[in-house]
Amino acid sequence: MTVKSLLLAGGAFLGGTSGALASGFQVYLPSQQSIGMGGVGVGLSMEQAAQFMNPGAMAMLRQNGVQVGASATFARSAFRSANGGEQRELQNTVVTPFNVYASFGPKEGKWRAGVSVYTPYGSQLKYADGWEGRFSLTEITLQSVYVQPTFSYAITDKLSIGAGLMILAYGSVNLQRDIALPSPYPEGHITLDGTTETAFGVNAGIFFKPSDKLSVGVSYRSKIDAKAKGGDVTVTGLPDPNTTITGALLAPRFVGNKFDATLPLPASVNIGLGIMPNDKLTIGLDVNWTQWSEYRALRFDFTKDGAPASVGDLTRTFSESKRNYEDALTFRLGGQYKVTDKLALRLGGAYDMTPVKDGYVTPETPDNDRIIGTAGIGYDITENLGVDASFMFQAILKRTQTEAQLLDNGTTDRVAGTYRTNISIPGIGVRYNF
Amino acid sequence: MKPVFNYAAAALGLMGLGLTSCQPDIDDPKSSAGQADFTTYLAVGNSLTAGFSDNGLYLEGQQNSYPSILAQQFAKVGGGAFVQPLFPAANSNGSGYLSITGFSTSGTPTLGPVAPNAGVGIGADNSTPLLVKYTGTDNQNLGVPGIRVADVTTPGYGYNNPSGFNPYFERLLAGPSALFSYQQYVEERVTTLKPTFFTNWLGNNDVLGYATSGGTAPLTGVALFTTKYTAITDVLTAGGAKGLLATIPNVVNVPFFTTVPTANVIGLINNTPIPTALEPAIKAALGLPQSSPLPTGLRFGFYITTGTGAKRLATSSDLLLLTAQAAINVPSTNPLQPFPSGVGLEIPGAPAATAAQLAATSNALDSRFVLDAAEVTSVQNRTAELNTVITNVANQKGLALFDSNTFFRGVATNGLVINGVNNTAAFVSGNLFSLDGVHPTPRGYAVIANEMIKAINAKYGAAVPGVDATAYRGVRFPQ
């Protein structure tokens, strides 16, 4: 499962009762070292984060080690409605994804075992009050923690394989949107809040290093169905059903107080190439292919006391919103130059193709192709202890969707307009090898 | 350590740069008036232009009229003040209007009147209630509810006199202008205000009156319409003003004609079993001996009176008016008429003579409550003809055109979702049409304003911003 798919999972819950949902901000942040190099690493065996990017490469690591890193994502978004009007911006929030990797193995042994904990998605978007898309989404908060035990084995000194058990150990979501109520009542508000069940997947890879100057890797992360069961549905701002006619009329529409949702987190295939022209320079080239086409719709089933119940729509007890994503490719290129034995400078870039088709863009994922630039620096304070700093900048290209596109695709549960988003992600990490 | 420090400082600097520069901006689609000049805007039209809603003209409706919304948007591209003949706050109920008083157990709304704040008196015709006069002299919203293009040159159309008058026009006129025809009033306004931009949405009542009366009021002839429509548009363009004309929506798409579905009524009546108590009367009416059974297939049928006075079985092509709801299945007060209104007997597949006999004995629904298929065709054909006239005038004069007919047909077919909020042409629940089933709600007017802005922008290369229609209310529900 790719980080991207985890983001998707987050997005799933965004739906709101109208079904609008999104994938949140996708931030592929394997480790501070990898981030500095544009996120490459499938074809490299540089660091402990191999267990995430390519478990097959872990057996080639020569040292036991523990590394910890954290990033801060600053997302800034702008939206302008198709009908004109002022530019709407997000209220500023910061989220802090982190990563922990540790691996152990005999010094000259053929095998290596590791464990990692990472937060592949996590997003907090809060749109400005009164923005045009408030009936799709006003606010989303996503959190996730993944744990992955991994085992890797070197079949020869040039070829190694590895596999990890991906565990979705913790996932939570909080989605909010406004509800249009009949005049003279002000808008109501609905919050979906839930946690996911523990879910499992496999992360496996092969790593081949025919020479000191060249290495290649392939990894596969399986599809996981992330399920949220019994999440809370909270509706506020409805007129009193006991004292008002309209309240009594609306009450049967808002009966459900729990929701279930399942989201397919698509599989990905990752191919990487590593080139080491000399002792000082390492260049990586990765391609990620993610089977986003698994993500066809976001559905919420509503219940009260275990029985299906309406939320918002009298005629049904669920909401469904089309996604119809397409498989997407990400291309990454990055390198590291060891200025001295202790100091490494890193630079990278990526082009991340959007899985979201025209007419399917949601406020939760104001997505488009992304251009990503990264830089990083690493310094070995002692032989065992090193620190890494990274910076990533993502420009989500300007994306406009029209009323006509929404109408053509039957996706009018979202808004027509133009989105543009920039994300800045500084981060810092510490590694200790022994 | 020295190099580290230097590099780290550089890295931190880079981060700071990224953080401060990451709020993206989407270029403001430069609001502009293009080739149009919105300095002084004048709105000409009927009830739709006045802001009529819920079967009345009242302050809130006026404040949310499409000309008011347009003017507010025009102001962003150089438009000036826009004065409407608002009812004073103390008379905010205006002419009075309809509101929902509650819902039946089946969810059908019950409507009740909201009275004018205070009686102003009755007109010289002893029937038309007078309205609070507009005392200002700078009116720019010339919408007069009820006016047809056929009426625009009628002198004294708003003059309080014993043979009847339009009270909405009457309240706008004062002193020497009291006898003005609508066109003279428009001329006076044009001369005084020298508008740089106008909208003209006249014509609806030239077909609507026919339709809402179930085909009993006249349709305006095409030749007369062409002459008068061209003349009043000439008045507006005389000073070189640019503007927008709007077509007439096909009135049969509005809830007034779609809320009582004829097919459902037919089904309900067909499926009602014939009570045993009625059998003797039926047999007598059919000339059958009391000992014989009822004819095979005999059932209740839904009968209407057509525009030509004929009684016949209704089909789904006949449109029932909103007012028909209360007029169907009313027990007859005539002792010789055993059937309630709209009901008769029918034998599917019976010979023509029998069918005619059954129709004759039916208590067919009055023509006032139904727009029969032939009348539907008449009103649609006339709407198309008049729209051709409007389109031609717009093209000849190089004016923008809001094809409201095409637009509302789309709304009737597909609904209209705005920013995730569903709106349809349905009565009450659809948000767009007010409680009279014909006139829009404030949200409906906001949608109209947005569509007009699109047409204006396209025609004049302007970039007038639209409004968030979801911020305007739909039907007001009871508390």
Side-chain angles (χ1 to χ4, degrees), chain A residues 74 76-78 80 83 87 89 132 134-135 182-185 245-246 249 343 377 379 412 415 418 420 422 424 426, chain B residues 4 7 15 18-19 22-26 28-29 101 103 417 419-421 465-468 470 473 476-479:
Chain A
F74 300 84
R76 300 287 180 270
S77 214
R80 222 177 250 284
N83 280 326
Q87 173 169 305
E89 292 170 7
E132 289 79 358
R134 63 193 179 280
F135 303 115
S183 169
Y185 297 98
I245 296 169
T246 303
L249 196 72
L343 180 69
I377 181 169
Y379 187 74
T412 48
V415 283
T418 302
R420 197 175 154 191
N422 289 341
S424 298
Chain B
V4 175
Y7 284 118
M15 286 181 197
L19 295 184
C22 71
Q23 172 62 53
D25 284 307
I26 297 165
D28 188 347
T101 54
F103 293 90
V417 187
N419 293 340
V421 178
V467 296
D468 177 3
T470 59
R473 75 164 173 92
R476 186 185 293 281
F477 277 47
Q479 289 185 290

Side-chain angles (χ1 to χ4, degrees), chain B residues 44-46 147 149 152 182 200-204 229 232 246 248 390:
Chain B
V44 164
N46 46 45
I147 195 167
V149 169
V152 299
Y182 184 69
N200 174 8
W201 196 6
L202 282 166
N204 311 70
Y229 189 84
I232 197 154
I248 304 163
I390 294 169

Side-chain angles (χ1 to χ4, degrees), chain A residues 330-342:
Chain A
T330 307
F331 301 92
R332 303 179 184 280
L333 176 67
Q336 165 177 290
Y337 185 75
K338 294 212 79 159
V339 180
T340 70
D341 282 352
K342 291 175 176 293

Side-chain angles (χ1 to χ4, degrees), chain B residues 132-403:
Chain B
V132 179
K133 280 262 187 190
Y134 173 65
T135 53
T137 55
D138 39 9
N139 182 23
Q140 289 170 265
N141 184 338
L142 314 190
V144 170
I147 195 167
R148 300 171 302 163
V149 169
D151 299 321
V152 299
T153 53
T154 307
Y157 179 70
Y159 183 62
N160 184 354
N161 74 89
S163 57
F165 61 99
N166 184 320
Y168 298 100
F169 191 35
E170 191 268 347
R171 71 179 286 265
L172 300 180
L173 302 175
S177 71
L179 277 165
F180 272 9
S181 71
Y182 184 69
Q183 184 161 323
Q184 285 173 310
Y185 179 61
V186 174
E187 279 166 352
E188 182 276 321
R189 292 283 80 199
V190 168
T191 307
T192 306
L193 297 170
K194 300 184 176 54
T196 56
F197 196 86
F198 70 88
T199 57
N200 174 8
W201 196 6
L202 282 166
N204 311 70
N205 292 319
D206 294 87
V207 291
L208 183 70
Y210 174 86
T212 54
S213 65
T216 52
L219 286 164
T220 301
V222 178
L224 182 76
F225 184 90
T226 309
T227 306
K228 298 199 173 189
Y229 189 84
T230 308
I232 197 154
T233 308
D234 283 343
V235 172
L236 291 165
T237 55
K242 293 184 164 64
L244 170 136
L245 305 182
T247 62
I248 304 163
N250 183 347
V251 293
V252 302
N253 284 333
V254 302
F256 192 77
F257 300 97
T258 55
T259 302
V260 188
T262 314
N264 289 15
V265 176
I266 294 172
L268 274 173
I269 291 177
N270 285 165
N271 293 328
T272 304
I274 295 174
T276 324
L278 262 186
E279 286 187 17
I282 291 170
K283 286 171 188 169
L286 295 176
L288 294 170
Q290 289 297 326
S291 55
S292 72
L294 288 175
T296 311
L298 184 79
R299 64 181 184 187
F300 287 128
F302 180 35
Y303 284 89
I304 59 161
T305 311
T306 67
T308 58
K311 293 177 172 186
R312 65 163 171 80
L313 282 165
T315 74
S316 56
S317 306
D318 302 316
L319 299 180
L320 293 171
L321 277 46
L322 195 54
T323 48
Q325 217 153 8
I328 297 170
N329 202 26
V330 177
S332 170
T333 50
N334 177 355
L336 300 176
Q337 177 50 271
F339 306 116
S341 56
V343 178
L345 291 169
E346 106 175 82
I347 304 174
T354 312
Q357 194 190 348
L358 291 173
T361 62
S362 72
N363 186 2
L365 187 67
D366 195 287
S367 174
R368 286 177 298 147
F369 300 114
V370 58
L371 198 63
D372 68 64
E375 291 169 338
V376 170
T377 306
S378 299
V379 74
Q380 287 182 325
N381 288 347
R382 185 56 48 89
T383 301
E385 288 166 340
L386 301 187
N387 281 343
T388 304
V389 174
I390 294 169
T391 307
N392 287 345
V393 172
N395 291 342
Q396 283 158 14
K397 292 181 164 292
L399 298 170
L401 181 73
F402 164 43
D403 189 353

